[in-house]
């Protein structure tokens, strides 16, 4: 089969394609032949890179690239998702940091002082809401 022994698609390729789509979208708003051509070149380069990685037979190297990418990308993604969650739940919950272990804890938004037990380090502390 054609794809046998080839690397295929992964999270890094997905990110590169999303980036290419973002450049494509930005290009709609760019006027002028030269800037447009440059953005088109970037787009084509990204798509070519995704295809080249997909067809690559050096599977170990491509997997290593993907692991390195995820090491940076995953914490960023987690942080962004947490911010979205915080905004969505801002009326009912407050996010605080455990003073002992710095874990992020979610507490109900009820006025007053509350005793909180951190589920991670079992430490207890007071919060004022
Ligand atoms: Zn803690």
């Amino acid at each position: 089969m054609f794809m046998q022994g080839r690397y295929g698609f992964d999270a890094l390729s997905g990110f590169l394609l999303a980036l290419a789509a973002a450049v494509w979208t930005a290009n709609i708003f760019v006027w002028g032949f030269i800037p447009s051509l440059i953005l088109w070149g970037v787009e084509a380069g990204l798509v070519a890179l995704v295809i080249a990685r997909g067809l690559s037979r050096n599977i170990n190297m491509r997997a290593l690239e993907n692991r390195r990418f995820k090491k940076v990308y995953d914490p960023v993604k987690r942080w962004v998702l947490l911010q979205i969650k915080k905004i969505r739940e801002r009326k009912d919950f407050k996010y605080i940091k455990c003073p002992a272990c710095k874990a992020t804890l979610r507490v109900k938004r009820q006025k007053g002082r509350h005793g909180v037990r951190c589920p991670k380090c079992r430490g207890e502390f007071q919060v004022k809401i």
Side-chain angles (χ1 to χ4, degrees), residues 9 11-28 36 38-51:
F9 200 78
L12 176 55
S13 292
F15 177 77
L16 292 174
L17 272 189
L19 202 62
V23 173
W24 183 85
T25 308
N27 211 352
I28 295 172
S36 248
I38 291 168
L39 285 185
W40 184 84
V42 171
E43 239 174 272
L46 287 168
V47 172
L49 192 60
V50 169
I51 293 169

Side-chain angles (χ1 to χ4, degrees), residues 113-117 124-127:
R113 290 186 76 84
H114 307 286
V116 177
R117 180 193 282 271
E124 285 184 57
F125 60 97
Q126 292 275 319
V127 296

Side-chain angles (χ1 to χ4, degrees), residues 45-77:
L46 287 168
V47 172
L49 192 60
V50 169
I51 293 169
R53 290 187 79 246
L55 296 179
S56 172
R57 291 184 189 280
N58 193 350
I59 289 168
N60 289 337
M61 195 59 212
R62 299 291 85 79
L64 180 67
E65 286 165 4
N66 191 48
R67 271 201 302 280
R68 281 180 181 154
F69 162 72
K70 281 175 80 73
K71 219 171 145 182
V72 177
Y73 180 72
D74 284 350
V76 173
K77 187 178 164 190

Side-chain angles (χ1 to χ4, degrees), residues 98-103 105 118-123 125:
C98 170
C101 72
K102 309 289 178 225
L105 310 178
C118 172
K120 201 173 162 197
C121 69
R122 314 309 270 152
F125 60 97

Side-chain angles (χ1 to χ4, degrees), residues 71-88:
K71 219 171 145 182
V72 177
Y73 180 72
D74 284 350
V76 173
K77 187 178 164 190
R78 250 198 307 280
W79 184 84
V80 169
L81 289 177
L82 179 65
Q83 302 314 308
I84 292 169
K85 203 169 169 230
K86 276 184 186 175
I87 291 168
R88 243 192 344 236

